[in-house]
Amino acid sequence: MSNADELARRARLRVVGLAARKAIHLGPALSLIDVLAALYTQVLRHDPARPDCPDRDLLVLSKGHGAYGLYAVLAELGVLTTDLDDLPGHPSDGIPGVEAATGALGHGLSLAGGLALGARLTGSDRRVYVVMGDGELDEGSNWEAAQFAAHHRLGNLMAVVDRNRLQQEGDTEDICALEPLADKWRAFGWRVGESDGHDVAAVAEAVTALGAGPGPAVLIAHTTKGKGVPFAQGDPAWHMGQLDAAQHHIAVTALTATA
């Protein structure tokens, strides 16, 4: 197990520990942790000891209800020292390592596009990454932002779609079909890659490969909602919930066994 894989495992333990104490968006947090671990340990220019370093790359979590996954990864990196119980259910201003307050789904890509254009205009070589949920791609504002980014040829912008194929009400393809998703992004002028979203090395490799080229890029990371917790995996009922003692024991046992 690599250091990044171990970081992701410990981050999941933090999330399930919190879910034993209160109801949270458990499934969405667990599905994106490997993606975040890959980005923070192998891709982004950032210094955990100086999270506000002006030369850092930026990461916007558009999928705001996955906030506890982000907090857990930042805690494992040493950026956050606050107890997760004290943090809000969506990224908020003033939290170390959080670049933007998000939660209104479909807005993160627009925000990231503005940050990427601003970086170009000020001569900065920083890159901007935005992690999105597939369910939020129902929102038309995402496709306006995709068109904007392609028009301005924002080569310093990359989106990663957490493609777990589930949203709160059920399967994305039953609610508002996204496929052929890769072709849709290409039609908007984006370079597209795909990877196993739970293979940290594969995510990092795919992001690095996409980084070299003109215009914006998107990685479709194929994931499982509730990853790591056997009874929650692939079950939309665990979009949000609280673990009882028996469920918490099962979750911890499963995650400990992967060490």
Side-chain angles (χ1 to χ4, degrees), residues 14-123:
R14 286 180 182 265
V15 171
V16 300
L18 179 63
R21 299 189 292 274
K22 67 178 183 179
I24 65 170
H25 286 105
L26 179 66
L30 294 175
S31 70
L32 57 71
I33 281 177
D34 297 303
V35 167
L36 293 175
L39 292 175
Y40 276 105
T41 64
Q42 301 183 40
V43 177
L44 271 71
R45 293 184 307 170
H46 77 108
D47 180 356
R50 300 187 333 163
D52 295 328
C53 176
D55 297 328
R56 71 191 183 281
D57 292 334
L58 303 178
L59 186 146
V60 174
L61 180 62
S62 184
K63 177 184 167 175
H65 53 286
Y68 288 113
L70 174 62
Y71 299 155
V73 169
L74 291 175
E76 287 298 326
L77 291 169
V79 175
L80 269 179
T81 57
T82 305
D83 194 305
L84 265 60
D85 297 72
D86 298 328
L87 297 174
H90 288 82
S92 298
D93 294 329
I95 299 174
V98 172
E99 301 291 357
T102 57
L105 296 178
H107 293 178
L109 186 59
S110 297
L111 178 58
L115 291 169
L117 181 59
R120 176 197 290 172
L121 293 174
T122 58

Side-chain angles (χ1 to χ4, degrees), residues 1 12 28 62 101 112 118 121 159 164 166 190 206 208 218 225-226 231 246 253 258:
M1 179 178 287
R12 283 193 169 89
S62 184
L121 293 174
N164 62 37
L166 291 174
W190 285 56
T208 301
V218 57
K225 196 162 189 169
F231 57 82
T253 299
T258 64

